[in-house]
Amino acid sequence: MRVLKVNKENTKNILSDLLKRSPNNYDQYAGTVQGILDEIKEKGDEALFAYTEKFDKCKLTKDTIQVTEEEIKAAYEKVDDSLVEVIRKSLVNIREYHEKQKRNSWFDAKPDGTILGQKMTALASVGVYVPGGKAAYPSSVLMNIVPAKVAGVEKIVMVTPPNKDGEVTPATLVAANEAGATHIYKVGGAQAIGALAYGTESIEKVDKIVGPGNIYVALAKKAVYGHVSIDSIAGPSEILVLADDTANPHYVAADLLSQAEHDELASAILVTTSKTLGEKVQEEIEGYLKKLSRAEIIEKSLENFGYILEAETLDEALEVVNAIASEHLEIVTANPFEVMTKVRNAGAIFIGEYSSEPLGDYFAGPNHVLPTNGTAKFFSPLNVDDFVKKSSIIYYSKDALKAIHNDIETFAKAEGLTAHANSIAVRFEEEE
Amino acid sequence: MRVLKVNKENTKNILSDLLKRSPNNYDQYAGTVQGILDEIKEKGDEALFAYTEKFDKCKLTKDTIQVTEEEIKAAYEKVDDSLVEVIRKSLVNIREYHEKQKRNSWFDAKPDGTILGQKMTALASVGVYVPGGKAAYPSSVLMNIVPAKVAGVEKIVMVTPPNKDGEVTPATLVAANEAGATHIYKVGGAQAIGALAYGTESIEKVDKIVGPGNIYVALAKKAVYGHVSIDSIAGPSEILVLADDTANPHYVAADLLSQAEHDELASAILVTTSKTLGEKVQEEIEGYLKKLSRAEIIEKSLENFGYILEAETLDEALEVVNAIASEHLEIVTANPFEVMTKVRNAGAIFIGEYSSEPLGDYFAGPNHVLPTNGTAKFFSPLNVDDFVKKSSIIYYSKDALKAIHNDIETFAKAEGLTAHANSIAVRFEEEE
């Protein structure tokens, strides 16, 4: 981990380093991805099956593409009961937190005869992408499905790549079933995104596609954006711990490592007003590395994107915190709630010594699908609003329109839109 | 206008016709746009000035790129007082409607020592694109700026192309000033989007870019999505009037034409349970065409994307209404509020005989930046939420974490993430 003083030049360099991890920097694959999407759009199942055979070495048919009840039952046999139990406990918390986000349609009725409002409607159908392969993350399955379910989405279609024998990771199936997926298909990659966006004979088009994936999946999602909606484009994971001399270096080091283990592009940053803490955390990291199973990945990610940043003051520290806009932010200082008030940009804010980041990954309830790569400046954690759309409601009585019809006509004429003005004027032409 | 019966085949064909108007079908310009964006990213102002000279025939410098106080004052001299007055009246309504959308941060504190919540923070800076040229739409300036202003965005940067003399449309300047733009720059096209997304010496990077533009602007916005946030990608305007035999054909025809006049790609559709109404509306349209200034555009758009659809029942009519998911929907039937309950997909819903669509364009308060081209299935009208992001808040006390720490460790280990498990375990290792 590089140890640096907080200053403008260093902040700028760190930001530019971190941004190198962005999926926006992989446009060279965009052509390949567009080719796959075009073929799915044109040839449907035929292309979908061909790409699945090519990339996943699995021959699918219309009869085998969808996961059956039996396959789901069989998956439960293969998954530890302790995991099923913890999935169920976690689901209670995730549901409860997301239920609190639900919003009512509202209207404002005034005695002059006007009604204005917003009607909230759940999306009809959502596609959830779940990566396959060795590393199965059932927690991600829960986090992507529950907000849609809570929002009231009726059709939740999960796609995930099969192995060569046409099997899907059992823990993924169990999590999908517990969370409430209504359809599960054995397809992955850009071709799965194409199927969800355009529809094929086997898979119906959905309204929105969410869920993490590799660079091909990310680029495919960006390519179909506008044709369907998507969640934000996920980048590598990040943690930033903001700590002063009250923090326990043993805990801080453990928390930094918990994100560094994700992959070599993950970033772990400590911003501290205490040089001593920085030094102790480094020592602690050395100690942990000897016993953690993913030490090799951790060492690489710390080398590439790990920093210890020393700030003179808490205000200076907060400036760099807001500039980096980390996916996960831990505040381990005196008065952490007060410090939180000064945080503008972070995906999830973990407050105090016992709110370790994995608490949020697995259990507390808030979503772990979070904006990465500085996008916390403008994107939000996955939430119920992402699965609800609004329609404006406008009612004016005759009297209400009459009272202001001249104003509308003036405005429309000023814009040269005479048919607009006319549509208001005709309603009062006989009276005047 | 084509007159058709409502059935699945016709609905499918109409949808496929309408989708031809989508900006997603103009990918052939994507390369040109990417070239412009890359050059802005690399060369900043130098490229920005060069493209402005090339496309707008206007030589800019760092000293003239920004609209001055004096230029704004001069603009007021050139704009009719009646327009300024109606802009101010309209602003009162737009602000009031958007104020009602504001949401509080919230938290849920439980006696077990846990606090969970969402912290709402306005974006720091937003760019608003406003097209230049002969047709100035000050109403659009209001609609794009007010939600950002109400959300609490501090920096609202408008960009709009200059004419060859370096002047910007006066009505645009007046509207921007009344609505509360904090910076106005004389740049347009894909190069302006590049400047807002990447920053140049003259124009600082913003967090989000909103506002309508031509196909180059739309593609540029899509290309920078992820690097900054954008609003949805705007397509041509649409109106769908759902009417039964209680509707006044004179009004319905006028309302259909009010959208058809926008441009040749605009779409105007009547869905009716009354064949007689359909016939009368057609007659009325003929009558209006003789006296409307934009009759030529209207005739083309009606020919291309105008339909009268006859439905057997209201339910059948509602099916096609929800399938088309129109930007603007007027409900002119008996019991229009009851009918509204069955509408799933529409940008703005105008209820009853006196809620003519231009009322929403100019005056009532709800935003006129609406999802087009069927995207009302998953996108919403521009609203205050678009300018606010959420951060999750997570606090657990020591006792609260202790009560469930084994569950988190089980989950993390099941996913093979041992450093995640470790970061929880270390907090209790001495006690157990």
Side-chain angles (χ1 to χ4, degrees):
Chain A
M1 282 179 110
R2 275 161 282 183
V3 180
L4 298 172
K5 298 257 175 243
V6 169
N7 61 42
K8 286 214 168 137
E9 191 58 25
N10 283 337
T11 302
K12 201 178 143 196
N13 291 337
I14 293 167
L15 288 177
S16 126
D17 250 20
L18 293 177
L19 274 180
K20 287 183 191 140
R21 307 171 309 145
S22 164
N24 285 326
N25 291 339
Y26 294 86
D27 282 345
Q28 68 265 36
Y29 303 118
T32 310
V33 166
Q34 193 60 53
I36 295 172
L37 294 174
D38 289 345
E39 222 174 311
I40 297 286
K41 192 174 176 181
E42 196 189 324
K43 297 186 188 159
D45 272 354
E46 187 193 332
L48 185 60
F49 297 158
Y51 279 116
T52 305
E53 189 167 355
K54 181 173 175 189
F55 294 129
D56 302 309
K57 317 291 173 210
C58 170
K59 264 186 189 280
L60 290 178
T61 66
K62 210 165 171 349
D63 295 328
T64 60
I65 189 171
Q66 188 170 2
V67 170
T68 61
E69 291 281 329
E70 289 67 39
E71 288 176 286
I72 292 172
K73 267 187 208 148
Y76 276 86
E77 300 300 317
K78 292 177 202 153
V79 171
D80 265 4
D81 288 347
S82 65
L83 180 59
V84 178
E85 196 191 324
V86 78
I87 281 175
R88 287 179 182 159
K89 281 192 198 174
S90 172
L91 267 175
V92 171
N93 290 346
I94 301 171
R95 283 199 192 107
E96 185 184 338
Y97 180 79
H98 287 83
E99 284 286 349
K100 288 187 197 295
Q101 298 170 20
K102 284 185 79 171
R103 299 163 75 187
N104 292 325
S105 298
W106 62 268
F107 67 90
D108 181 31
K110 290 194 176 155
D112 64 355
T114 65
I115 302 171
L116 299 176
Q118 283 182 314
K119 179 173 190 272
M120 310 293 180
T121 313
L123 305 194
S125 59
V126 165
V128 176
Y129 189 91
V130 176
K134 282 158 282 175
Y137 296 119
S139 60
S140 282
V141 177
L142 309 184
M143 293 292 184
N144 279 283
I145 291 177
V146 171
K149 201 81 187 168
V150 169
V153 176
E154 280 180 16
K155 190 171 176 190
I156 300 177
V157 182
M158 187 175 93
V159 294
T160 189
N163 67 14
K164 65 179 175 26
D165 301 319
E167 293 159 349
V168 169
T169 321
T172 300
L173 287 189
V174 167
N177 188 59
E178 292 290 328
T182 57
H183 301 69
I184 307 174
Y185 296 102
K186 299 172 180 177
V187 287
Q191 61 274 20
I193 302 300
L196 291 170
Y198 302 115
T200 70
E201 297 85 339
S202 300
I203 300 180
E204 263 191 300
K205 176 185 186 311
V206 298
D207 291 330
K208 181 162 189 161
I209 303 173
V210 301
N214 62 20
I215 186 66
Y216 294 97
V217 170
L219 289 172
K221 279 167 66 183
K222 185 171 175 183
V224 299
Y225 173 71
H227 189 71
V228 296
S229 178
I230 63 169
D231 58 353
S232 51
I233 294 161
S237 195
E238 304 156 352
I239 188 168
L240 192 155
V241 179
L242 170 62
D244 63 14
D245 55 11
T246 68
N248 181 329
H250 192 54
Y251 300 172
V252 169
D255 294 359
L256 289 169
L257 300 184
S258 76
Q259 290 312 294
E261 81 170 332
H262 270 295
D263 57 65
E264 293 170 14
L265 293 176
S267 165
I269 299 175
L270 169 64
V271 179
T272 182
T273 49
S274 162
K275 199 176 163 182
T276 318
L277 181 81
E279 288 161 1
K280 284 188 189 156
V281 165
Q282 276 203 296
E283 283 165 33
E284 292 284 346
I285 287 175
E286 296 305 319
Y288 283 127
L289 279 174
K290 289 174 196 140
K291 56 180 194 181
L292 286 171
S293 63
R294 296 166 71 93
E296 211 172 314
I297 294 172
I298 293 175
E299 281 183 294
K300 285 206 177 124
S301 81
L302 289 185
E303 193 184 314
N304 293 328
F305 302 107
Y307 295 93
I308 293 175
L309 302 177
E310 297 169 352
E312 292 292 324
T313 62
L314 196 55
D315 281 344
E316 194 183 63
L318 278 158
E319 241 174 76
V320 69
V321 165
N322 283 324
I324 292 173
S326 187
E327 180 190 18
H328 303 101
L329 169 67
E330 287 189 8
I331 303 176
V332 197
T333 62
N335 294 327
F337 281 92
E338 184 179 313
V339 174
M340 174 270 286
T341 65
K342 293 172 187 168
V343 174
R344 285 192 69 95
N345 304 322
I349 306 175
F350 296 80
I351 298 175
E353 193 165 11
Y354 288 92
S355 310
S356 172
E357 189 278 338
L359 166 66
D361 280 347
Y362 292 111
F363 207 81
N367 212 289
H368 81 201
V369 179
L370 296 167
T372 55
N373 239 317
T375 62
K377 287 177 185 166
F378 43 83
F379 288 146
S380 301
L382 194 66
N383 65 91
V384 171
D385 291 344
D386 290 324
F387 300 97
V388 175
K389 68 210 170 59
K390 300 150 191 149
S391 299
S392 307
I393 298 293
I394 301 172
Y395 174 85
Y396 262 51
S397 68
K398 182 174 181 178
D399 285 348
L401 188 67
K402 194 173 172 185
I404 50 97
H405 77 101
N406 286 325
D407 290 327
I408 303 178
E409 291 166 40
T410 301
F411 213 151
K413 284 178 192 157
E415 293 192 348
L417 296 176
T418 50
H420 281 65
N422 180 61
S423 87
I424 301 292
V426 294
R427 284 164 160 91
F428 304 99
E429 63 197 354
E430 282 166 20
E431 302 185 18
E432 282 164 8
Chain B
M1 282 178 111
R2 275 161 284 183
V3 181
L4 298 170
K5 298 259 175 237
V6 169
N7 62 41
K8 287 214 166 137
E9 193 57 27
N10 282 337
T11 302
K12 203 180 140 194
N13 291 336
I14 293 167
L15 288 177
S16 129
D17 250 21
L18 293 177
L19 274 179
K20 287 184 191 140
R21 307 171 307 146
S22 165
N24 284 324
N25 291 339
Y26 293 87
D27 282 345
Q28 69 264 36
Y29 303 119
T32 310
V33 166
Q34 193 59 52
I36 295 172
L37 294 174
D38 289 345
E39 222 175 314
I40 297 287
K41 193 175 178 180
E42 196 188 325
K43 297 188 189 159
D45 271 355
E46 186 193 332
L48 186 60
F49 297 158
Y51 279 115
T52 305
E53 189 166 356
K54 182 173 173 190
F55 295 129
D56 303 308
K57 317 292 172 209
C58 169
K59 264 185 189 278
L60 290 179
T61 66
K62 211 165 168 352
D63 295 329
T64 60
I65 189 171
Q66 187 168 2
V67 170
T68 62
E69 292 281 330
E70 288 67 39
E71 287 176 287
I72 293 172
K73 266 186 210 152
Y76 276 85
E77 301 299 317
K78 292 177 201 152
V79 171
D80 266 4
D81 287 347
S82 65
L83 180 59
V84 178
E85 195 190 325
V86 77
I87 282 175
R88 287 178 182 161
K89 281 193 199 176
S90 172
L91 267 173
V92 171
N93 290 346
I94 301 171
R95 282 197 194 109
E96 185 183 338
Y97 179 79
H98 288 81
E99 284 286 351
K100 287 187 197 295
Q101 298 169 20
K102 285 186 78 172
R103 299 162 76 186
N104 291 326
S105 298
W106 63 268
F107 67 89
D108 181 32
K110 289 194 177 157
D112 65 354
T114 64
I115 303 172
L116 300 175
Q118 284 181 314
K119 179 174 191 270
M120 310 293 181
T121 313
L123 305 195
S125 58
V126 166
V128 177
Y129 190 90
V130 176
K134 280 159 282 175
Y137 296 119
S139 59
S140 282
V141 176
L142 310 183
M143 293 292 183
N144 278 285
I145 291 177
V146 172
K149 201 81 188 169
V150 169
V153 176
E154 280 181 14
K155 190 171 175 190
I156 299 177
V157 182
M158 187 175 93
V159 293
T160 189
N163 67 14
K164 64 179 175 28
D165 301 319
E167 292 159 349
V168 169
T169 321
T172 300
L173 286 188
V174 167
N177 187 58
E178 293 290 328
T182 57
H183 300 69
I184 306 174
Y185 295 103
K186 300 172 180 177
V187 287
Q191 62 273 20
I193 302 300
L196 291 170
Y198 302 115
T200 71
E201 297 84 339
S202 299
I203 301 181
E204 263 191 300
K205 177 186 185 313
V206 298
D207 291 329
K208 181 162 188 162
I209 303 173
V210 301
N214 62 20
I215 187 66
Y216 294 97
V217 170
L219 288 172
K221 280 167 65 183
K222 186 171 175 182
V224 299
Y225 173 71
H227 189 72
V228 296
S229 178
I230 62 169
D231 58 352
S232 51
I233 294 161
S237 195
E238 302 156 352
I239 188 169
L240 191 156
V241 180
L242 170 61
D244 63 14
D245 55 12
T246 67
N248 180 329
H250 191 54
Y251 301 172
V252 170
D255 294 359
L256 289 169
L257 300 184
S258 77
Q259 290 312 294
E261 80 170 333
H262 270 296
D263 56 66
E264 292 169 15
L265 293 176
S267 166
I269 299 174
L270 169 64
V271 179
T272 182
T273 50
S274 161
K275 202 176 161 181
T276 317
L277 181 82
E279 287 161 3
K280 284 188 190 158
V281 166
Q282 275 203 297
E283 282 166 31
E284 290 284 345
I285 286 176
E286 296 305 319
Y288 282 127
L289 278 174
K290 290 176 194 137
K291 58 181 194 180
L292 286 171
S293 63
R294 295 165 73 91
E296 210 172 316
I297 294 171
I298 294 175
E299 280 182 294
K300 285 206 178 126
S301 82
L302 289 185
E303 193 183 315
N304 292 330
F305 302 107
Y307 295 93
I308 294 177
L309 302 177
E310 298 169 354
E312 292 293 324
T313 63
L314 196 56
D315 281 345
E316 195 184 63
L318 278 158
E319 241 174 75
V320 69
V321 164
N322 283 324
I324 292 174
S326 186
E327 180 190 17
H328 303 101
L329 169 66
E330 288 189 7
I331 304 176
V332 196
T333 62
N335 292 327
F337 280 92
E338 185 179 314
V339 174
M340 175 269 285
T341 65
K342 293 170 187 169
V343 173
R344 284 191 71 94
N345 305 322
I349 306 175
F350 296 80
I351 298 175
E353 192 165 11
Y354 287 92
S355 309
S356 171
E357 190 279 336
L359 165 66
D361 279 347
Y362 292 111
F363 207 80
N367 211 289
H368 80 200
V369 180
L370 297 167
T372 54
N373 240 315
T375 63
K377 288 177 185 166
F378 42 83
F379 289 147
S380 302
L382 194 66
N383 64 91
V384 171
D385 291 345
D386 291 325
F387 301 97
V388 175
K389 69 209 168 60
K390 299 150 190 148
S391 299
S392 307
I393 297 293
I394 300 172
Y395 174 85
Y396 262 50
S397 68
K398 182 174 181 180
D399 285 348
L401 188 67
K402 195 174 173 185
I404 50 97
H405 78 100
N406 286 325
D407 291 325
I408 302 179
E409 291 166 40
T410 301
F411 213 151
K413 283 177 191 159
E415 293 192 349
L417 296 176
T418 50
H420 280 65
N422 181 62
S423 86
I424 301 292
V426 294
R427 284 163 160 92
F428 303 100
E429 63 197 353
E430 282 166 19
E431 303 185 19
E432 284 166 7

